[in-house]
Amino acid sequence: MTQIHSLMRGLAPLLGENPYRRETRDAYWQAGGYRDLSPDLLFNRIKAAGLRGRGGAGFPAATKVQAVRASGSVPVVVANGAEGEPGSVKDRWLMRARPHLVLDGMLRAADMTRAARCYVYVADDEAADSMRRALAEREPVVPTWIVRPEHTYVAGEETSAIRRINGGPALPAAKPPRPFEAGVDGVPTLVANVETLARIALLAARPGTPDSLLLTVSGRGLKPELVEAPVGTSLQALAYRVDRLDTPGVLMGGMFGGILGPGCLKTTLEPSALAAAGSALGCGAVHFLTAGECPVGLAADGLARLAAESSRQCGVCVSGTAALARTMASVVHGTAGQEDLASLTRWSQSLLRRGACGLLDAAANLASSLLRSFGPLTEAHLGAHLGARCTDCSADRAPDPDRFLAEPPTVRTTTHPVSAPR
């Protein structure tokens, strides 16, 4: 079972006082939620705080809100909780344990953009039930619906959410237009990750709340942890927490941020530092390798997962992810040659920004980061160097695309009567 831990000084604002128990409307109201606040004042707080989206791309939240505010149309807001990255549990936990924090943030986003409708986009059964209860406990002033996609990697991409809400499949669409230009039913749409919305609610209730991140920390032999940490926390602090200071590498951001080498532990979890390291926060999933575990095998498993999750809409994605996965598997099995390594190098650059969504980019980044951080080790796996291959890889090693899976912490449901005002 995934455990919960805080690296914050004092109360962890996102985890709250009792992260293993579902919050009631009563408790949320008493903690300062659902209070009236000018949407312009809140927008200025978001802008001043420099809040970035927590769904993967890290785009400035104020810029996204402003694009919809300035559209001149009556927009729609989508709370995106699909969470397709297999190594992440934070969004499901937020909706299971802190549904009113998410709902408050969504309604404030609707207020700032003058939206006429809201949608909660969620794949997880327990999270969907929790959000339904929250909507019943605090009937929103803006009509709100829950929409359920299948739990797949690509379902959480923002155009996938739009297509599913519009009655189609949860598959990415070509861009432009982007959702802020034409989304649900063709009107400007703000698609915001549920952690982003939770941060908006915190900024409304308590200006000056320390900026923090929800991280899913995992690795072979580790009990996965949901960790709230200050923005700027180092990977070393997380590694110390889980006794992985001897890690040979770190898989960042689910699979979006690629693999960093053993010298990465001084890297801090903030956009500029991660970009300088050739990585990104992504969904906030941090996977530590254990001593003796091979990063080449890790990359092979990640690429097998991505190839299996392709929506099979873009020919370049279908062929590209399959080629990357197949070639990396041959490296692990010791049957690849220098020409295969050259192909991996070429594909890791030529496939970037070629697909309708970020899946192909994640695959290309995973391959390029392995070659950048572990080039000599990867070359040592080639057929010409069989005698030097590592003990973690073998000719009969099967891909393990499920090695990154984690389940959210157990959340107990409260049955206290609801008495706080609407």
Side-chain angles (χ1 to χ4, degrees):
M1 182 184 74
T2 301
Q3 306 294 309
I4 298 176
H5 184 73
S6 171
L7 295 180
M8 305 294 293
R9 291 184 178 179
L11 180 66
L14 287 168
L15 293 178
E17 293 186 357
N18 192 339
Y20 290 100
R21 184 179 293 277
R22 181 186 181 275
E23 70 182 354
T24 62
R25 187 184 69 169
D26 244 2
Y28 184 66
W29 174 267
Q30 290 165 7
Y34 292 134
R35 299 298 198 270
D36 289 337
L37 183 68
S38 158
D40 289 335
L41 178 57
L42 177 56
F43 176 77
N44 289 333
R45 285 183 186 175
I46 294 169
K47 190 174 181 179
L51 176 64
R52 289 177 175 266
R54 300 292 165 76
F59 197 74
T63 302
K64 206 170 184 179
V65 169
Q66 179 57 26
V68 177
R69 277 166 60 104
S71 67
S73 302
V74 180
V76 169
V77 169
V78 176
N80 189 353
E83 195 169 39
E85 283 280 1
S88 178
V89 302
K90 68 181 182 70
D91 294 340
R92 283 170 286 170
W93 174 84
L94 273 170
M95 292 181 290
R96 291 180 183 188
R98 304 219 58 191
H100 287 284
L101 183 67
V102 173
L103 179 58
D104 192 6
M106 182 187 72
L107 295 177
R108 293 185 187 280
D111 199 18
M112 285 188 290
T113 58
R114 297 176 287 277
R117 288 174 288 159
C118 291
Y119 295 87
V120 179
Y121 184 69
V122 50
D124 178 68
D125 290 341
E126 189 174 334
D129 289 343
S130 179
M131 292 304 299
R132 284 194 189 95
R133 289 189 60 196
L135 289 167
E137 291 164 355
R138 203 261 187 200
E139 185 178 350
V141 294
V142 179
T144 301
W145 292 269
I146 291 178
V147 176
R148 302 289 309 279
E150 294 295 321
H151 189 72
T152 65
Y153 189 95
V154 300
E157 200 271 341
E158 61 178 6
T159 62
S160 296
I162 298 300
R163 287 184 73 181
R164 178 66 186 87
I165 292 169
N166 281 336
L171 298 174
K175 300 180 281 287
R178 296 187 177 276
F180 73 86
E181 298 168 316
V184 175
D185 294 334
V187 303
T189 301
L190 175 68
V191 182
N193 172 260
V194 295
E195 184 186 348
T196 311
L197 296 174
R199 290 296 315 180
I200 288 174
L202 289 172
L203 286 170
R206 294 186 293 278
T209 299
D211 199 6
S212 61
L213 303 167
L214 280 181
L215 308 167
T216 310
V217 181
S218 63
R220 182 186 290 177
L222 294 179
K223 288 184 177 179
E225 288 194 351
L226 177 67
V227 177
E228 184 169 3
V231 171
T233 296
S234 68
L235 285 172
Q236 187 170 22
L238 294 179
Y240 178 80
R241 160 72 195 163
V242 295
D243 195 24
R244 284 288 163 91
L245 290 173
D246 60 347
T247 183
V250 180
L251 179 65
M252 278 297 305
M255 299 178 202
F256 180 81
I259 304 176
L260 298 177
C264 71
L265 291 185
K266 295 295 180 65
T267 305
T268 54
L269 299 180
E270 52 191 349
S272 59
L274 287 167
S279 187
L281 182 66
C283 66
V286 181
H287 185 95
F288 287 103
L289 277 75
T290 187
E293 187 179 5
C294 183
V296 180
L298 180 80
D301 291 343
L303 288 170
R305 176 89 194 189
L306 291 170
E309 290 280 0
S310 171
S311 63
R312 316 198 76 76
Q313 290 191 130
C314 305
V316 67
C317 180
V318 175
S319 60
T321 55
L324 285 166
R326 183 174 58 251
T327 306
M328 193 65 73
S330 71
V331 173
V332 167
H333 296 154
T335 59
Q338 286 290 345
E339 68 281 2
D340 296 299
L341 197 61
S343 294
L344 285 173
T345 303
R346 184 175 67 256
W347 294 333
S348 69
Q349 298 303 314
S350 64
L351 293 175
L352 289 172
R353 295 175 291 279
R354 295 280 302 279
C357 70
L359 184 142
L360 185 56
D361 284 355
N365 285 333
L366 189 52
S368 64
S369 64
L370 177 75
L371 297 174
R372 181 175 60 249
S373 300
F374 299 96
L377 178 62
T378 306
E379 189 164 359
H381 284 65
L382 302 184
H385 302 282
L386 285 176
R389 283 177 52 238
C390 70
T391 57
D392 197 42
C393 299
S394 64
D396 59 353
R397 182 188 186 278
D400 182 13
D402 293 334
R403 73 186 290 178
F404 311 104
L405 293 176
E407 286 297 319
T410 299
V411 176
R412 298 189 301 275
T413 299
T414 56
T415 56
H416 296 165
V418 174
S419 59
R422 290 184 177 178

